[in-house]
Amino acid sequence: MSEHPPFAVTVDLAIFTIRNGALSVLLVERGEDPYAGRWALPGGFVGPDEDAEAAAWRELAEETGVSRAEAGEWGHLEQLRTYSAPDRDPRMRVVSVAHVAFAPDLPEPTAGSDATQARWWAVQDVVGEDADAPRLAFDHAEILADALERVRSKLEYTTLALQFVDEPFTLPELHRVYAAVWGEAPDLGNFRRKVLKTPGFVSPTDEKADADAAGGPRPLLYRRGPGRTLQPAMLRPGGDA
Amino acid sequence: MSEHPPFAVTVDLAIFTIRNGALSVLLVERGEDPYAGRWALPGGFVGPDEDAEAAAWRELAEETGVSRAEAGEWGHLEQLRTYSAPDRDPRMRVVSVAHVAFAPDLPEPTAGSDATQARWWAVQDVVGEDADAPRLAFDHAEILADALERVRSKLEYTTLALQFVDEPFTLPELHRVYAAVWGEAPDLGNFRRKVLKTPGFVSPTDEKADADAAGGPRPLLYRRGPGRTLQPAMLRPGGDA
DNA sequence: ACAATAGTGTCTTTTAGACAGTATTTG
DNA sequence: CAAATACTGTCTAAAAGACACTATTGT
């Protein structure tokens, strides 16, 4: 079976967070060809002694500038799918195991060791057709589109939204996560009912958030509950469109 | 970047069908080490000019003994996930892009060119803990478990069950698909209501099925509709367990 | 006639959608 | 006080679960 050609195996990551109320994704600017100057999803090669998920955790920690142990505290990472078109990288045959990661608001990333820059992009500015929208390298536009669909649908039937907020959090904050990811806000009253009656979604504290300059009552603070799935699912408004 | 080790990339397939009312999966007996004599999911290497999905279609056609064009007629195939543990194959570093395929009842497969045998196994006889349950090679038990979870959950929110029946079909037949995959039958009356009121799930004909030795009225025949998703989902009985 | 299965209808419960209305806070 | 936001409650519609009931066929 040595007549089979060798492949390089990489991981690519779509790392999502909420910044300024907008769903955002981390991109790095490529410093070298192919696609020099274009923006790309962060990623790297899978090492000889790690599986793809371990490589993805390692890259996540490197790119966000936090230690891997810390990343394990707040982060959620899962495999998305594998991209293997023969010509997806002109240099060699590369198969990429793409992953999706979710994190609460993180600091602006530090530049990578290869002197390229990395920054958060509002997803809407990347997937849009605007003239100033960056054209992504390789097949990363397709990967990002798949990742976006994944995060949107996982909000429906899991408690994944909890990964986008720091503890403790308020229900209006959690509501804004749904609004940012779906692009449309569910009715706040019905949202509260759904979250509070789903066992294990959130657990209340008896504290209230600090006052907000905008006025209004101080909302109650909650912590993440142990539940992981929503039964039945939370429906996104206009979800059939 | 040539300091990175070469990988072999394969596809493995969990090919499901319904045989004698039981959800079944195609397994091949390995003829050589490692795991000689053990049963495994069919699979093979990804060729230099194809992507993983093309390799999976090729393997599907080879293993089921039907031409690839025919397979495209009736089959549904989708990527499951990628398995990349460093020690999953003792011979070399192999990354496997697993796929799931669904087909109506197929003939017993012919033996592969390497003189190994292939046959359908009732899923219950493979995942069970019985003494005569085969111990699968490599990490294929894990792949099969993931594939099983995939097919079970896809029945909930898609019209995938249509891939397990030949056209034309009756609603009791379609109902038996759900019963076989879920291990428990939804109420037939409520099932009919759900299927018939979901736009595009099935389209009626004005024909009736041939008579059955068991007696009873001859059920109406239907064809597959254009719809692909169920909104809202069909809930499996005891689905939270 | 009887058994078996196909198909219809009905009642109840659960849940979501669409609000209205009250309470709390800042400026 | 007004404005803004947090929170509660209510009415309605959609849908599922749990049946009972009728109809059609083979033996």
Side-chain angles (χ1 to χ4, degrees):
Chain A
M1 53 195 54
S2 44
E3 78 277 11
H4 296 286
F7 291 75
V9 177
T10 63
V11 291
D12 286 312
L13 276 80
I15 308 170
F16 290 112
T17 193
I18 311 273
R19 282 179 77 84
N20 309 319
L23 181 69
S24 305
V25 64
L26 188 66
L27 298 180
V28 299
E29 191 173 20
R30 287 185 57 82
E32 47 187 66
D33 274 322
Y35 300 103
R38 293 255 204 126
W39 293 85
L41 297 173
F45 288 89
V46 175
D49 297 318
E50 61 185 3
D51 64 11
E53 185 176 325
W57 275 112
R58 177 173 51 72
E59 290 289 336
L60 175 62
E62 286 175 15
E63 298 289 343
T64 58
V66 297
S67 82
R68 191 164 163 190
E70 282 176 304
E73 296 279 318
W74 46 254
H76 173 89
L77 183 145
E78 65 180 46
Q79 191 181 121
L80 175 63
R81 57 162 292 167
T82 294
Y83 299 82
S84 59
D87 58 351
R88 60 182 298 279
D89 188 320
R91 292 165 297 181
M92 59 201 293
R93 188 69 200 268
V94 179
V95 166
S96 177
V97 185
H99 289 69
V100 188
F102 312 104
D105 200 353
L106 290 173
E108 199 68 29
T110 56
S113 55
D114 46 355
T116 60
Q117 53 168 323
R119 75 170 186 89
W120 295 104
W121 286 77
V123 166
Q124 195 155 22
D125 296 341
V126 181
V127 299
E129 303 291 335
D130 306 1
D132 55 341
R135 287 165 53 226
L136 297 188
F138 305 107
D139 51 3
H140 289 190
E142 181 189 359
I143 298 177
L144 179 58
D146 291 346
L148 193 55
E149 180 51 36
R150 170 75 62 96
V151 58
R152 283 181 175 154
S153 67
K154 283 214 110 178
L155 281 207
E156 297 184 47
Y157 61 93
T158 72
T159 60
L160 188 72
L162 298 174
Q163 303 299 326
F164 286 105
V165 293
D166 278 311
E167 281 191 312
F169 55 88
T170 69
L171 293 191
E173 273 181 81
L174 195 62
H175 182 239
R176 283 189 287 272
V177 171
Y178 279 85
V181 174
W182 284 347
E184 192 174 357
D187 177 274
L188 182 54
N190 297 335
F191 175 81
R192 292 177 51 85
R193 178 179 59 192
K194 178 70 180 177
V195 171
L196 293 176
K197 86 176 324 189
T198 297
F201 196 159
V202 298
S203 50
T205 71
D206 48 5
E207 312 262 318
K208 291 184 176 180
D210 291 340
D212 186 318
R218 296 160 52 202
L220 256 185
L221 290 168
Y222 293 81
R223 294 186 174 277
R224 302 185 189 110
R228 289 290 167 267
T229 61
L230 268 52
Q231 183 70 295
M234 172 129 43
L235 302 179
R236 54 176 139 166
D240 24 348
Chain B
M1 56 196 53
S2 44
E3 77 276 12
H4 297 283
F7 291 75
V9 177
T10 62
V11 292
D12 286 311
L13 276 81
I15 308 170
F16 290 112
T17 194
I18 312 272
R19 282 178 76 85
N20 309 319
L23 181 68
S24 304
V25 63
L26 187 66
L27 298 180
V28 298
E29 191 173 21
R30 286 185 58 80
E32 46 187 67
D33 274 322
Y35 301 103
R38 293 256 204 126
W39 292 86
L41 298 172
F45 288 89
V46 175
D49 297 320
E50 62 184 3
D51 66 10
E53 184 175 326
W57 276 111
R58 178 174 51 75
E59 290 289 337
L60 175 62
E62 286 175 15
E63 298 290 342
T64 58
V66 296
S67 84
R68 193 165 161 190
E70 282 176 303
E73 297 279 320
W74 45 254
H76 173 89
L77 183 145
E78 67 181 43
Q79 192 182 120
L80 176 63
R81 57 163 294 167
T82 293
Y83 298 82
S84 59
D87 57 351
R88 60 182 297 280
D89 188 318
R91 292 166 296 182
M92 58 201 292
R93 188 69 201 267
V94 179
V95 166
S96 177
V97 186
H99 289 70
V100 188
F102 312 104
D105 201 353
L106 290 173
E108 199 69 28
T110 54
S113 55
D114 48 354
T116 60
Q117 52 168 323
R119 76 170 185 88
W120 295 103
W121 286 77
V123 166
Q124 194 156 22
D125 295 341
V126 181
V127 299
E129 302 292 334
D130 307 359
D132 55 342
R135 288 163 54 224
L136 297 189
F138 305 107
D139 51 4
H140 289 190
E142 182 189 358
I143 298 177
L144 179 58
D146 292 345
L148 192 55
E149 181 50 36
R150 171 74 63 95
V151 57
R152 283 179 176 156
S153 67
K154 284 215 109 177
L155 280 207
E156 297 184 47
Y157 60 93
T158 72
T159 60
L160 188 73
L162 298 174
Q163 302 300 327
F164 286 105
V165 293
D166 279 311
E167 281 191 311
F169 55 88
T170 68
L171 292 191
E173 274 181 80
L174 195 62
H175 181 240
R176 283 190 285 272
V177 171
Y178 278 85
V181 174
W182 284 346
E184 191 174 358
D187 178 273
L188 183 53
N190 298 334
F191 174 81
R192 291 176 53 85
R193 179 178 58 192
K194 177 72 179 175
V195 171
L196 292 176
K197 86 176 324 190
T198 297
F201 197 160
V202 299
S203 51
T205 72
D206 49 3
E207 311 263 318
K208 290 184 176 182
D210 290 342
D212 185 318
R218 295 160 53 204
L220 256 186
L221 289 169
Y222 293 82
R223 293 187 174 277
R224 303 185 187 109
R228 288 292 168 267
T229 61
L230 268 52
Q231 182 69 292
M234 172 129 42
L235 302 179
R236 54 175 139 165
D240 25 349

